């Protein structure tokens, strides 16, 4: 079946650096993408989303980039902080569709002081 | 409303026993989802409800698994004759669907961790 995957299972950065987490998706019919953050012992927490009619969306310290040509999604975190340490998942699906979001395997971000 | 609540948070059981998990979604959300997550993996979709109707089931949902949402509010996920391979975190999520609701953002609970001995 089709699934969402991530390029790197782990990413280690220094506090204050910018982090980039990448994701490749395969379902060209997906028109909605979300990044979730999951801390140990907790459920996934929404970070930022983007629809397929956009190629960039910015939030507070986070930016999501979408490249539909190569089916690539990235999450950029500015001035990474120790509290950003977590597992990050991208998910794809329909903006208003009656189907569930499909998740990738996740990237573990470790931020050292 | 404090978000999506799941109970119990942890369950340890012996192989062959039945277990049931409960999920209370955000009150105004009409969609409810169950996912399963094993260590180091992303959440895997199991099933979802719109109100009380179960609209989609993954092939991961074997005959030993059953989910209900009888009144369109809380939901239960029952696993019969548990196996060691059922050990996982069971996540519940809810969302508000409809043309006026905007994006299909899922809000997750903290999960119910199952350990089958």
């Amino acid at each position: 079946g089709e699934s969402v995957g991530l390029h790197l299972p782990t990413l280690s950065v220094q506090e204050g650096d910018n982090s980039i987490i990448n994701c490749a998706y395969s379902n060209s019919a997906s028109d909605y993408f979300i990044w979730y953050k999951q801390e140990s012992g907790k459920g996934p927490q929404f970070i930022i989303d983007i629809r397929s009619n956009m190629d960039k969306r910015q939030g507070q310290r986070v930016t999501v980039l979408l490249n539909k040509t190569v089916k690539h999604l990235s999450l950029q975190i500015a001035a990474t902080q120790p509290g950003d340490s977590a597992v990050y998942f991208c998910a794809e699906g329909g903006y208003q569709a009656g189907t569930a979001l499909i998740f990738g395997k996740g990237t573990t971000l470790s931020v050292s002081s | 409303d404090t978000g999506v609540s799941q109970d119990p948070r942890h369950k340890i059981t012996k192989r062959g026993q039945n277990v049931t998990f409960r999920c209370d979604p955000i009150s105004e959300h009409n969609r409810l989802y169950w996912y399963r997550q094993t260590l180091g993996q992303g959440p895997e979709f199991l099933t979802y409800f719109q109100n009380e109707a179960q609209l989609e089931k993954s092939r991961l949902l074997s005959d030993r698994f059953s989910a209900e949402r009888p009144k369109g509010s809380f939901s239960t996920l029952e696993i019969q004759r548990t196996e060691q391979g059922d050990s996982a975190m069971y996540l519940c999520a809810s969302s508000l669907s409809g043309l006026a609701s905007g994006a299909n953002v899922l809000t997750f609970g903290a999960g119910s961790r199952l350990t089958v001995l």
Side-chain angles (χ1 to χ4, degrees), chain B residues 20-65:
Chain B
T20 299
F21 301 114
R22 175 180 170 124
C23 173
D24 287 89
I26 293 172
S27 57
E28 62 266 27
H29 284 182
N30 57 351
R31 285 203 180 137
L32 187 148
Y33 302 78
W34 285 100
Y35 282 78
R36 180 175 69 186
Q37 186 177 28
T38 54
L39 195 63
Q41 301 297 313
E44 296 174 298
F45 169 71
L46 293 178
T47 188
Y48 96 92
F49 295 82
Q50 177 149 327
N51 300 314
E52 66 274 9
Q54 189 172 19
L55 297 186
E56 187 176 348
K57 290 193 290 187
S58 162
R59 59 179 180 270
L60 293 175
L61 209 67
S62 76
D63 291 344
R64 297 184 297 104
F65 288 68

mmCIF file of all heavy atoms in Angstrom, chain B residues 20-65:
data_model
loop_
_atom_site.group_PDB
_atom_site.id
_atom_site.type_symbol
_atom_site.label_atom_id
_atom_site.label_comp_id
_atom_site.label_asym_id
_atom_site.label_seq_id
_atom_site.Cartn_x
_atom_site.Cartn_y
_atom_site.Cartn_z
ATOM 1 N N THR B 20 -10.431 -4.221 27.204
ATOM 2 C CA THR B 20 -11.263 -3.171 26.600
ATOM 3 C C THR B 20 -10.684 -1.817 26.950
ATOM 4 O O THR B 20 -10.350 -1.550 28.106
ATOM 5 C CB THR B 20 -12.712 -3.251 27.107
ATOM 6 O OG1 THR B 20 -13.260 -4.519 26.747
ATOM 7 C CG2 THR B 20 -13.559 -2.152 26.474
ATOM 8 N N PHE B 21 -10.601 -0.963 25.941
ATOM 9 C CA PHE B 21 -10.138 0.403 26.125
ATOM 10 C C PHE B 21 -11.277 1.358 25.817
ATOM 11 O O PHE B 21 -12.099 1.102 24.940
ATOM 12 C CB PHE B 21 -8.957 0.715 25.202
ATOM 13 C CG PHE B 21 -7.782 -0.179 25.412
ATOM 14 C CD1 PHE B 21 -7.375 -1.062 24.417
ATOM 15 C CD2 PHE B 21 -7.073 -0.166 26.599
ATOM 16 C CE1 PHE B 21 -6.290 -1.898 24.615
ATOM 17 C CE2 PHE B 21 -6.002 -1.002 26.804
ATOM 18 C CZ PHE B 21 -5.608 -1.871 25.811
ATOM 19 N N ARG B 22 -11.275 2.475 26.549
ATOM 20 C CA ARG B 22 -12.324 3.476 26.338
ATOM 21 C C ARG B 22 -11.705 4.770 25.877
ATOM 22 O O ARG B 22 -10.617 5.160 26.328
ATOM 23 C CB ARG B 22 -13.102 3.704 27.631
ATOM 24 C CG ARG B 22 -14.137 4.818 27.520
ATOM 25 C CD ARG B 22 -14.896 5.045 28.787
ATOM 26 N NE ARG B 22 -15.683 6.258 28.706
ATOM 27 C CZ ARG B 22 -17.002 6.301 28.900
ATOM 28 N NH1 ARG B 22 -17.672 5.185 29.188
ATOM 29 N NH2 ARG B 22 -17.655 7.443 28.822
ATOM 30 N N CYS B 23 -12.419 5.469 25.022
ATOM 31 C CA CYS B 23 -11.989 6.778 24.537
ATOM 32 C C CYS B 23 -13.147 7.753 24.634
ATOM 33 O O CYS B 23 -14.252 7.468 24.153
ATOM 34 C CB CYS B 23 -11.517 6.683 23.086
ATOM 35 S SG CYS B 23 -11.164 8.292 22.329
ATOM 36 N N ASP B 24 -12.892 8.879 25.240
ATOM 37 C CA ASP B 24 -13.852 9.983 25.267
ATOM 38 C C ASP B 24 -13.295 11.114 24.409
ATOM 39 O O ASP B 24 -12.298 11.737 24.783
ATOM 40 C CB ASP B 24 -14.090 10.465 26.698
ATOM 41 C CG ASP B 24 -14.912 9.493 27.500
ATOM 42 O OD1 ASP B 24 -14.315 8.589 28.137
ATOM 43 O OD2 ASP B 24 -16.148 9.613 27.467
ATOM 44 N N PRO B 25 -13.916 11.380 23.269
ATOM 45 C CA PRO B 25 -13.379 12.408 22.359
ATOM 46 C C PRO B 25 -13.737 13.809 22.835
ATOM 47 O O PRO B 25 -14.460 13.997 23.816
ATOM 48 C CB PRO B 25 -14.096 12.083 21.052
ATOM 49 C CG PRO B 25 -15.432 11.564 21.495
ATOM 50 C CD PRO B 25 -15.143 10.773 22.759
ATOM 51 N N ILE B 26 -13.237 14.790 22.123
ATOM 52 C CA ILE B 26 -13.667 16.170 22.353
ATOM 53 C C ILE B 26 -15.161 16.230 22.030
ATOM 54 O O ILE B 26 -15.600 15.698 20.999
ATOM 55 C CB ILE B 26 -12.839 17.137 21.483
ATOM 56 C CG1 ILE B 26 -11.392 17.131 21.981
ATOM 57 C CG2 ILE B 26 -13.429 18.538 21.491
ATOM 58 C CD1 ILE B 26 -10.419 17.895 21.117
ATOM 59 N N SER B 27 -15.926 16.844 22.883
ATOM 60 C CA SER B 27 -17.373 16.685 22.862
ATOM 61 C C SER B 27 -18.033 17.087 21.539
ATOM 62 O O SER B 27 -18.985 16.450 21.098
ATOM 63 C CB SER B 27 -18.012 17.458 24.017
ATOM 64 O OG SER B 27 -17.651 18.817 23.956
ATOM 65 N N GLU B 28 -17.537 18.099 20.883
ATOM 66 C CA GLU B 28 -18.208 18.526 19.660
ATOM 67 C C GLU B 28 -17.685 17.816 18.416
ATOM 68 O O GLU B 28 -18.171 18.049 17.313
ATOM 69 C CB GLU B 28 -18.069 20.043 19.471
ATOM 70 C CG GLU B 28 -16.648 20.538 19.320
ATOM 71 C CD GLU B 28 -16.039 20.975 20.644
ATOM 72 O OE1 GLU B 28 -16.463 20.443 21.695
ATOM 73 O OE2 GLU B 28 -15.130 21.825 20.611
ATOM 74 N N HIS B 29 -16.700 16.933 18.582
ATOM 75 C CA HIS B 29 -16.132 16.216 17.438
ATOM 76 C C HIS B 29 -17.023 15.046 17.037
ATOM 77 O O HIS B 29 -17.425 14.240 17.877
ATOM 78 C CB HIS B 29 -14.725 15.716 17.762
ATOM 79 C CG HIS B 29 -13.694 16.782 17.735
ATOM 80 N ND1 HIS B 29 -12.358 16.534 17.957
ATOM 81 C CD2 HIS B 29 -13.790 18.115 17.511
ATOM 82 C CE1 HIS B 29 -11.686 17.663 17.856
ATOM 83 N NE2 HIS B 29 -12.535 18.644 17.602
ATOM 84 N N ASN B 30 -17.295 14.950 15.742
ATOM 85 C CA ASN B 30 -18.170 13.877 15.283
ATOM 86 C C ASN B 30 -17.393 12.667 14.760
ATOM 87 O O ASN B 30 -17.951 11.595 14.584
ATOM 88 C CB ASN B 30 -19.144 14.397 14.215
ATOM 89 C CG ASN B 30 -18.425 15.017 13.021
ATOM 90 O OD1 ASN B 30 -17.216 15.226 13.038
ATOM 91 N ND2 ASN B 30 -19.190 15.315 11.987
ATOM 92 N N ARG B 31 -16.090 12.831 14.523
ATOM 93 C CA ARG B 31 -15.294 11.699 14.050
ATOM 94 C C ARG B 31 -14.372 11.197 15.164
ATOM 95 O O ARG B 31 -13.800 11.992 15.907
ATOM 96 C CB ARG B 31 -14.452 12.084 12.833
ATOM 97 C CG ARG B 31 -15.265 12.197 11.566
ATOM 98 C CD ARG B 31 -14.400 12.022 10.351
ATOM 99 N NE ARG B 31 -15.211 12.145 9.144
ATOM 100 C CZ ARG B 31 -14.850 12.821 8.077
ATOM 101 N NH1 ARG B 31 -13.680 13.434 8.067
ATOM 102 N NH2 ARG B 31 -15.640 12.877 7.035
ATOM 103 N N LEU B 32 -14.237 9.900 15.217
ATOM 104 C CA LEU B 32 -13.382 9.272 16.218
ATOM 105 C C LEU B 32 -12.570 8.179 15.551
ATOM 106 O O LEU B 32 -13.115 7.364 14.790
ATOM 107 C CB LEU B 32 -14.232 8.695 17.359
ATOM 108 C CG LEU B 32 -13.470 8.138 18.571
ATOM 109 C CD1 LEU B 32 -14.298 8.339 19.834
ATOM 110 C CD2 LEU B 32 -13.099 6.687 18.412
ATOM 111 N N TYR B 33 -11.277 8.159 15.840
ATOM 112 C CA TYR B 33 -10.345 7.237 15.192
ATOM 113 C C TYR B 33 -9.620 6.404 16.248
ATOM 114 O O TYR B 33 -9.303 6.882 17.327
ATOM 115 C CB TYR B 33 -9.277 8.017 14.412
ATOM 116 C CG TYR B 33 -9.808 8.955 13.358
ATOM 117 C CD1 TYR B 33 -10.344 10.197 13.713
ATOM 118 C CD2 TYR B 33 -9.747 8.628 12.012
ATOM 119 C CE1 TYR B 33 -10.816 11.068 12.750
ATOM 120 C CE2 TYR B 33 -10.210 9.500 11.044
ATOM 121 C CZ TYR B 33 -10.741 10.719 11.419
ATOM 122 O OH TYR B 33 -11.203 11.590 10.464
ATOM 123 N N TRP B 34 -9.296 5.176 15.852
ATOM 124 C CA TRP B 34 -8.392 4.346 16.648
ATOM 125 C C TRP B 34 -7.156 4.044 15.816
ATOM 126 O O TRP B 34 -7.256 3.672 14.631
ATOM 127 C CB TRP B 34 -9.051 3.031 17.059
ATOM 128 C CG TRP B 34 -10.068 3.168 18.154
ATOM 129 C CD1 TRP B 34 -11.431 3.218 18.027
ATOM 130 C CD2 TRP B 34 -9.800 3.241 19.564
ATOM 131 N NE1 TRP B 34 -12.018 3.338 19.262
ATOM 132 C CE2 TRP B 34 -11.044 3.345 20.226
ATOM 133 C CE3 TRP B 34 -8.641 3.224 20.334
ATOM 134 C CZ2 TRP B 34 -11.161 3.435 21.613
ATOM 135 C CZ3 TRP B 34 -8.757 3.316 21.706
ATOM 136 C CH2 TRP B 34 -10.004 3.419 22.335
ATOM 137 N N TYR B 35 -6.002 4.203 16.454
ATOM 138 C CA TYR B 35 -4.722 3.877 15.848
ATOM 139 C C TYR B 35 -3.959 2.963 16.806
ATOM 140 O O TYR B 35 -4.191 2.968 18.017
ATOM 141 C CB TYR B 35 -3.872 5.137 15.620
ATOM 142 C CG TYR B 35 -4.244 5.981 14.431
ATOM 143 C CD1 TYR B 35 -5.339 6.838 14.480
ATOM 144 C CD2 TYR B 35 -3.489 5.943 13.266
ATOM 145 C CE1 TYR B 35 -5.672 7.627 13.393
ATOM 146 C CE2 TYR B 35 -3.810 6.730 12.163
ATOM 147 C CZ TYR B 35 -4.900 7.565 12.242
ATOM 148 O OH TYR B 35 -5.225 8.348 11.163
ATOM 149 N N ARG B 36 -3.033 2.231 16.249
ATOM 150 C CA ARG B 36 -2.129 1.421 17.054
ATOM 151 C C ARG B 36 -0.700 1.860 16.751
ATOM 152 O O ARG B 36 -0.357 2.121 15.586
ATOM 153 C CB ARG B 36 -2.288 -0.067 16.719
ATOM 154 C CG ARG B 36 -1.383 -0.982 17.521
ATOM 155 C CD ARG B 36 -1.688 -2.430 17.233
ATOM 156 N NE ARG B 36 -1.310 -2.813 15.872
ATOM 157 C CZ ARG B 36 -1.583 -3.992 15.341
ATOM 158 N NH1 ARG B 36 -2.259 -4.876 16.031
ATOM 159 N NH2 ARG B 36 -1.193 -4.271 14.117
ATOM 160 N N GLN B 37 0.109 1.931 17.801
ATOM 161 C CA GLN B 37 1.493 2.359 17.617
ATOM 162 C C GLN B 37 2.426 1.428 18.379
ATOM 163 O O GLN B 37 2.284 1.245 19.586
ATOM 164 C CB GLN B 37 1.691 3.796 18.111
ATOM 165 C CG GLN B 37 3.062 4.365 17.815
ATOM 166 C CD GLN B 37 3.205 5.815 18.238
ATOM 167 O OE1 GLN B 37 2.552 6.274 19.166
ATOM 168 N NE2 GLN B 37 4.074 6.553 17.542
ATOM 169 N N THR B 38 3.367 0.846 17.665
ATOM 170 C CA THR B 38 4.393 0.027 18.300
ATOM 171 C C THR B 38 5.677 0.838 18.386
ATOM 172 O O THR B 38 5.840 1.859 17.714
ATOM 173 C CB THR B 38 4.621 -1.280 17.528
ATOM 174 O OG1 THR B 38 4.899 -0.962 16.149
ATOM 175 C CG2 THR B 38 3.393 -2.170 17.593
ATOM 176 N N LEU B 39 6.578 0.353 19.214
ATOM 177 C CA LEU B 39 7.794 1.103 19.525
ATOM 178 C C LEU B 39 8.587 1.445 18.263
ATOM 179 O O LEU B 39 8.880 0.573 17.452
ATOM 180 C CB LEU B 39 8.649 0.282 20.488
ATOM 181 C CG LEU B 39 9.774 1.047 21.190
ATOM 182 C CD1 LEU B 39 9.197 2.144 22.062
ATOM 183 C CD2 LEU B 39 10.629 0.093 22.025
ATOM 184 N N GLY B 40 8.876 2.718 18.103
ATOM 185 C CA GLY B 40 9.693 3.159 16.983
ATOM 186 C C GLY B 40 8.948 3.335 15.676
ATOM 187 O O GLY B 40 9.560 3.675 14.656
ATOM 188 N N GLN B 41 7.640 3.113 15.708
ATOM 189 C CA GLN B 41 6.851 3.235 14.484
ATOM 190 C C GLN B 41 5.841 4.367 14.593
ATOM 191 O O GLN B 41 5.514 4.822 15.692
ATOM 192 C CB GLN B 41 6.100 1.921 14.216
ATOM 193 C CG GLN B 41 6.996 0.704 14.073
ATOM 194 C CD GLN B 41 7.935 0.796 12.896
ATOM 195 O OE1 GLN B 41 7.529 1.141 11.790
ATOM 196 N NE2 GLN B 41 9.208 0.512 13.127
ATOM 197 N N GLY B 42 5.348 4.794 13.439
ATOM 198 C CA GLY B 42 4.279 5.767 13.447
ATOM 199 C C GLY B 42 2.945 5.113 13.739
ATOM 200 O O GLY B 42 2.812 3.888 13.643
ATOM 201 N N PRO B 43 1.960 5.904 14.116
ATOM 202 C CA PRO B 43 0.629 5.337 14.369
ATOM 203 C C PRO B 43 0.070 4.666 13.111
ATOM 204 O O PRO B 43 0.197 5.200 12.007
ATOM 205 C CB PRO B 43 -0.198 6.566 14.750
ATOM 206 C CG PRO B 43 0.787 7.571 15.243
ATOM 207 C CD PRO B 43 2.012 7.345 14.410
ATOM 208 N N GLU B 44 -0.540 3.497 13.314
ATOM 209 C CA GLU B 44 -1.168 2.761 12.204
ATOM 210 C C GLU B 44 -2.668 2.813 12.386
ATOM 211 O O GLU B 44 -3.191 2.486 13.450
ATOM 212 C CB GLU B 44 -0.722 1.295 12.217
ATOM 213 C CG GLU B 44 0.755 1.082 11.989
ATOM 214 C CD GLU B 44 1.116 -0.383 12.174
ATOM 215 O OE1 GLU B 44 0.935 -0.899 13.287
ATOM 216 O OE2 GLU B 44 1.574 -1.005 11.206
ATOM 217 N N PHE B 45 -3.353 3.200 11.332
ATOM 218 C CA PHE B 45 -4.799 3.340 11.385
ATOM 219 C C PHE B 45 -5.485 1.990 11.589
ATOM 220 O O PHE B 45 -5.146 0.994 10.941
ATOM 221 C CB PHE B 45 -5.286 3.979 10.084
ATOM 222 C CG PHE B 45 -6.774 3.948 9.902
ATOM 223 C CD1 PHE B 45 -7.588 4.750 10.671
ATOM 224 C CD2 PHE B 45 -7.348 3.116 8.956
ATOM 225 C CE1 PHE B 45 -8.966 4.722 10.503
ATOM 226 C CE2 PHE B 45 -8.712 3.082 8.776
ATOM 227 C CZ PHE B 45 -9.529 3.884 9.555
ATOM 228 N N LEU B 46 -6.468 1.970 12.488
ATOM 229 C CA LEU B 46 -7.267 0.756 12.712
ATOM 230 C C LEU B 46 -8.688 0.926 12.192
ATOM 231 O O LEU B 46 -9.184 0.120 11.404
ATOM 232 C CB LEU B 46 -7.317 0.415 14.202
ATOM 233 C CG LEU B 46 -6.005 -0.013 14.847
ATOM 234 C CD1 LEU B 46 -6.215 -0.268 16.344
ATOM 235 C CD2 LEU B 46 -5.438 -1.255 14.166
ATOM 236 N N THR B 47 -9.371 1.976 12.684
ATOM 237 C CA THR B 47 -10.756 2.161 12.306
ATOM 238 C C THR B 47 -11.199 3.576 12.645
ATOM 239 O O THR B 47 -10.538 4.268 13.421
ATOM 240 C CB THR B 47 -11.671 1.148 13.028
ATOM 241 O OG1 THR B 47 -13.004 1.225 12.509
ATOM 242 C CG2 THR B 47 -11.705 1.397 14.538
ATOM 243 N N TYR B 48 -12.310 4.011 12.033
ATOM 244 C CA TYR B 48 -12.853 5.297 12.439
ATOM 245 C C TYR B 48 -14.373 5.328 12.340
ATOM 246 O O TYR B 48 -14.985 4.537 11.596
ATOM 247 C CB TYR B 48 -12.200 6.452 11.669
ATOM 248 C CG TYR B 48 -12.913 6.963 10.452
ATOM 249 C CD1 TYR B 48 -13.820 8.015 10.537
ATOM 250 C CD2 TYR B 48 -12.642 6.426 9.205
ATOM 251 C CE1 TYR B 48 -14.447 8.504 9.409
ATOM 252 C CE2 TYR B 48 -13.258 6.914 8.071
ATOM 253 C CZ TYR B 48 -14.162 7.960 8.180
ATOM 254 O OH TYR B 48 -14.787 8.445 7.053
ATOM 255 N N PHE B 49 -14.951 6.195 13.129
ATOM 256 C CA PHE B 49 -16.391 6.392 13.206
ATOM 257 C C PHE B 49 -16.739 7.826 12.833
ATOM 258 O O PHE B 49 -16.012 8.760 13.164
ATOM 259 C CB PHE B 49 -16.901 6.161 14.636
ATOM 260 C CG PHE B 49 -16.754 4.770 15.141
ATOM 261 C CD1 PHE B 49 -15.552 4.314 15.657
ATOM 262 C CD2 PHE B 49 -17.832 3.887 15.106
ATOM 263 C CE1 PHE B 49 -15.412 3.028 16.125
ATOM 264 C CE2 PHE B 49 -17.705 2.598 15.574
ATOM 265 C CZ PHE B 49 -16.495 2.166 16.090
ATOM 266 N N GLN B 50 -17.870 7.960 12.174
ATOM 267 C CA GLN B 50 -18.487 9.267 12.062
ATOM 268 C C GLN B 50 -19.807 9.149 12.801
ATOM 269 O O GLN B 50 -20.675 8.364 12.412
ATOM 270 C CB GLN B 50 -18.710 9.679 10.616
ATOM 271 C CG GLN B 50 -19.420 11.030 10.518
ATOM 272 C CD GLN B 50 -19.040 11.818 9.295
ATOM 273 O OE1 GLN B 50 -17.900 11.750 8.824
ATOM 274 N NE2 GLN B 50 -20.002 12.556 8.764
ATOM 275 N N ASN B 51 -19.922 9.897 13.866
ATOM 276 C CA ASN B 51 -21.024 9.723 14.819
ATOM 277 C C ASN B 51 -20.991 8.263 15.279
ATOM 278 O O ASN B 51 -19.947 7.802 15.721
ATOM 279 C CB ASN B 51 -22.334 10.148 14.189
ATOM 280 C CG ASN B 51 -22.293 11.607 13.767
ATOM 281 O OD1 ASN B 51 -21.856 12.472 14.517
ATOM 282 N ND2 ASN B 51 -22.721 11.893 12.549
ATOM 283 N N GLU B 52 -22.102 7.528 15.166
ATOM 284 C CA GLU B 52 -22.069 6.146 15.651
ATOM 285 C C GLU B 52 -21.744 5.133 14.567
ATOM 286 O O GLU B 52 -21.607 3.940 14.851
ATOM 287 C CB GLU B 52 -23.415 5.799 16.306
ATOM 288 C CG GLU B 52 -24.607 5.778 15.351
ATOM 289 C CD GLU B 52 -25.218 7.151 15.163
ATOM 290 O OE1 GLU B 52 -24.611 8.142 15.627
ATOM 291 O OE2 GLU B 52 -26.287 7.226 14.546
ATOM 292 N N ALA B 53 -21.592 5.594 13.342
ATOM 293 C CA ALA B 53 -21.340 4.677 12.231
ATOM 294 C C ALA B 53 -19.844 4.414 12.049
ATOM 295 O O ALA B 53 -19.050 5.345 11.936
ATOM 296 C CB ALA B 53 -21.928 5.270 10.955
ATOM 297 N N GLN B 54 -19.510 3.133 11.996
ATOM 298 C CA GLN B 54 -18.117 2.754 11.732
ATOM 299 C C GLN B 54 -17.919 2.745 10.221
ATOM 300 O O GLN B 54 -18.446 1.863 9.534
ATOM 301 C CB GLN B 54 -17.828 1.378 12.336
ATOM 302 C CG GLN B 54 -16.363 0.988 12.300
ATOM 303 C CD GLN B 54 -16.090 -0.294 13.081
ATOM 304 O OE1 GLN B 54 -16.994 -1.072 13.363
ATOM 305 N NE2 GLN B 54 -14.842 -0.530 13.429
ATOM 306 N N LEU B 55 -17.175 3.698 9.713
ATOM 307 C CA LEU B 55 -17.103 3.900 8.272
ATOM 308 C C LEU B 55 -15.938 3.222 7.589
ATOM 309 O O LEU B 55 -15.986 2.985 6.379
ATOM 310 C CB LEU B 55 -17.081 5.399 7.952
ATOM 311 C CG LEU B 55 -18.315 6.188 8.353
ATOM 312 C CD1 LEU B 55 -18.217 7.615 7.838
ATOM 313 C CD2 LEU B 55 -19.584 5.525 7.839
ATOM 314 N N GLU B 56 -14.885 2.934 8.312
ATOM 315 C CA GLU B 56 -13.722 2.332 7.672
ATOM 316 C C GLU B 56 -12.978 1.484 8.683
ATOM 317 O O GLU B 56 -12.849 1.849 9.856
ATOM 318 C CB GLU B 56 -12.797 3.415 7.121
ATOM 319 C CG GLU B 56 -11.640 2.884 6.275
ATOM 320 C CD GLU B 56 -10.793 3.988 5.666
ATOM 321 O OE1 GLU B 56 -11.213 5.160 5.702
ATOM 322 O OE2 GLU B 56 -9.700 3.684 5.156
ATOM 323 N N LYS B 57 -12.521 0.320 8.217
ATOM 324 C CA LYS B 57 -11.713 -0.563 9.051
ATOM 325 C C LYS B 57 -10.486 -0.981 8.281
ATOM 326 O O LYS B 57 -10.582 -1.393 7.120
ATOM 327 C CB LYS B 57 -12.515 -1.798 9.450
ATOM 328 C CG LYS B 57 -13.643 -1.517 10.430
ATOM 329 C CD LYS B 57 -14.195 -2.793 11.041
ATOM 330 C CE LYS B 57 -14.948 -3.636 10.071
ATOM 331 N NZ LYS B 57 -15.609 -4.788 10.747
ATOM 332 N N SER B 58 -9.342 -0.911 8.916
ATOM 333 C CA SER B 58 -8.099 -1.362 8.307
ATOM 334 C C SER B 58 -8.052 -2.887 8.327
ATOM 335 O O SER B 58 -8.665 -3.536 9.170
ATOM 336 C CB SER B 58 -6.922 -0.795 9.092
ATOM 337 O OG SER B 58 -5.737 -1.501 8.818
ATOM 338 N N ARG B 59 -7.280 -3.442 7.400
ATOM 339 C CA ARG B 59 -7.102 -4.898 7.441
ATOM 340 C C ARG B 59 -6.280 -5.316 8.649
ATOM 341 O O ARG B 59 -6.195 -6.505 8.966
ATOM 342 C CB ARG B 59 -6.454 -5.387 6.151
ATOM 343 C CG ARG B 59 -5.121 -4.810 5.840
ATOM 344 C CD ARG B 59 -4.564 -5.401 4.549
ATOM 345 N NE ARG B 59 -3.262 -4.849 4.219
ATOM 346 C CZ ARG B 59 -3.080 -3.771 3.486
ATOM 347 N NH1 ARG B 59 -4.124 -3.125 3.002
ATOM 348 N NH2 ARG B 59 -1.874 -3.329 3.227
ATOM 349 N N LEU B 60 -5.668 -4.353 9.350
ATOM 350 C CA LEU B 60 -4.975 -4.655 10.603
ATOM 351 C C LEU B 60 -5.957 -5.068 11.691
ATOM 352 O O LEU B 60 -5.583 -5.707 12.670
ATOM 353 C CB LEU B 60 -4.188 -3.431 11.082
ATOM 354 C CG LEU B 60 -3.000 -2.965 10.255
ATOM 355 C CD1 LEU B 60 -2.451 -1.675 10.835
ATOM 356 C CD2 LEU B 60 -1.929 -4.033 10.202
ATOM 357 N N LEU B 61 -7.203 -4.673 11.529
ATOM 358 C CA LEU B 61 -8.217 -4.955 12.534
ATOM 359 C C LEU B 61 -8.735 -6.367 12.336
ATOM 360 O O LEU B 61 -9.686 -6.598 11.580
ATOM 361 C CB LEU B 61 -9.341 -3.930 12.409
ATOM 362 C CG LEU B 61 -10.116 -3.589 13.680
ATOM 363 C CD1 LEU B 61 -9.217 -2.876 14.663
ATOM 364 C CD2 LEU B 61 -11.327 -2.744 13.359
ATOM 365 N N SER B 62 -8.100 -7.313 13.033
ATOM 366 C CA SER B 62 -8.493 -8.705 12.866
ATOM 367 C C SER B 62 -9.844 -8.954 13.529
ATOM 368 O O SER B 62 -10.410 -8.082 14.189
ATOM 369 C CB SER B 62 -7.432 -9.620 13.491
ATOM 370 O OG SER B 62 -7.555 -9.614 14.910
ATOM 371 N N ASP B 63 -10.331 -10.175 13.378
ATOM 372 C CA ASP B 63 -11.631 -10.543 13.947
ATOM 373 C C ASP B 63 -11.634 -10.465 15.470
ATOM 374 O O ASP B 63 -12.698 -10.412 16.081
ATOM 375 C CB ASP B 63 -12.011 -11.958 13.505
ATOM 376 C CG ASP B 63 -12.313 -12.020 12.021
ATOM 377 O OD1 ASP B 63 -12.516 -10.952 11.419
ATOM 378 O OD2 ASP B 63 -12.318 -13.136 11.467
ATOM 379 N N ARG B 64 -10.461 -10.469 16.067
ATOM 380 C CA ARG B 64 -10.408 -10.408 17.530
ATOM 381 C C ARG B 64 -10.617 -8.989 18.047
ATOM 382 O O ARG B 64 -10.784 -8.777 19.242
ATOM 383 C CB ARG B 64 -9.057 -10.932 18.026
ATOM 384 C CG ARG B 64 -8.798 -12.395 17.708
ATOM 385 C CD ARG B 64 -7.482 -12.883 18.307
ATOM 386 N NE ARG B 64 -6.329 -12.173 17.744
ATOM 387 C CZ ARG B 64 -5.658 -11.225 18.375
ATOM 388 N NH1 ARG B 64 -6.004 -10.856 19.599
ATOM 389 N NH2 ARG B 64 -4.624 -10.645 17.789
ATOM 390 N N PHE B 65 -10.562 -8.038 17.153
ATOM 391 C CA PHE B 65 -10.729 -6.626 17.519
ATOM 392 C C PHE B 65 -12.146 -6.171 17.164
ATOM 393 O O PHE B 65 -12.638 -6.455 16.067
ATOM 394 C CB PHE B 65 -9.742 -5.747 16.748
ATOM 395 C CG PHE B 65 -8.312 -5.862 17.191
ATOM 396 C CD1 PHE B 65 -7.596 -7.039 16.980
ATOM 397 C CD2 PHE B 65 -7.670 -4.801 17.795
ATOM 398 C CE1 PHE B 65 -6.272 -7.137 17.381
ATOM 399 C CE2 PHE B 65 -6.350 -4.892 18.190
ATOM 400 C CZ PHE B 65 -5.647 -6.059 17.982
#
